[in-house]
Amino acid sequence: MKQFLQGVADDQAGYRALLDLLAQQFQAAIHHQQERLGEIAAAIGTLVDTLEARRARRVELATRLTGPQPAIERVFALLRPESRTRVESDWKALEQMVLAAKAAGKRNGELLAEQYTIMQRVLHGEDQTYEPA
């Protein structure tokens, strides 16, 4: 249980770092800082790998604690009421960070894709389905 709870706390810190990196990525994209974008992408990739490994470990620990069909509610049920309230609050905060990171990642991806599309138009011109005869 201690490992499970520590993983949640570690992920909260990890997602705060991820949100910061995504904000930096957005700013670097707006300012067309290609080298910085590469550095940030590498840091994001490393952090996401760490977060995914922690998630997998959390599922493994939840399975050990509650059986073959792990559910966070069952893990919470194993805690004393005073601890349960705090952990449930931490879990909800983590879920909100995950959603915020997904939204920021989507926003950044859309911005980068749009910039790429514009650059392709500038370099190669518009693709015209119907060209004047």
Side-chain angles (χ1 to χ4, degrees):
M1 182 60 83
K2 285 182 182 181
Q3 290 177 13
F4 183 91
L5 298 176
Q6 185 60 53
V8 172
D10 291 346
D11 270 2
Q12 284 182 313
Y15 272 96
R16 278 190 290 278
L18 180 58
L19 288 167
D20 181 57
L21 285 169
L22 290 167
Q24 290 179 45
Q25 183 184 49
F26 186 74
Q27 289 302 313
I30 288 174
H31 294 98
H32 304 284
Q33 298 169 332
Q34 295 299 59
E35 186 175 317
R36 182 75 181 123
L37 280 170
E39 294 166 0
I40 294 168
I44 288 172
T46 300
L47 183 53
V48 166
D49 289 345
T50 300
L51 291 167
E52 176 56 26
R54 258 193 235 124
R55 185 203 62 76
R57 177 73 174 142
R58 194 167 37 252
V59 170
E60 177 187 322
L61 291 169
T63 301
R64 284 186 191 176
L65 290 167
T66 65
Q69 300 276 316
I72 194 68
E73 293 79 17
R74 283 200 215 142
V75 174
F76 292 159
L78 298 173
L79 297 167
R80 285 181 245 145
E82 60 276 4
S83 297
R84 184 179 317 143
T85 301
R86 183 184 53 80
V87 172
E88 285 175 337
S89 176
D90 289 348
W91 184 259
K92 286 181 196 243
L94 179 59
E95 286 179 324
Q96 291 304 309
M97 285 188 263
V98 169
L99 293 173
K102 285 181 179 182
K106 182 178 182 210
R107 173 201 64 192
N108 291 2
E110 289 171 354
L111 173 62
L112 292 167
E114 183 63 27
Q115 287 178 335
Y116 177 81
T117 300
I118 290 168
M119 188 56 68
Q120 290 302 307
R121 286 185 195 146
V122 168
L123 293 174
H124 304 291
E126 293 276 339
D127 286 336
Q128 303 259 339
T129 303
Y130 301 100
E131 292 189 25

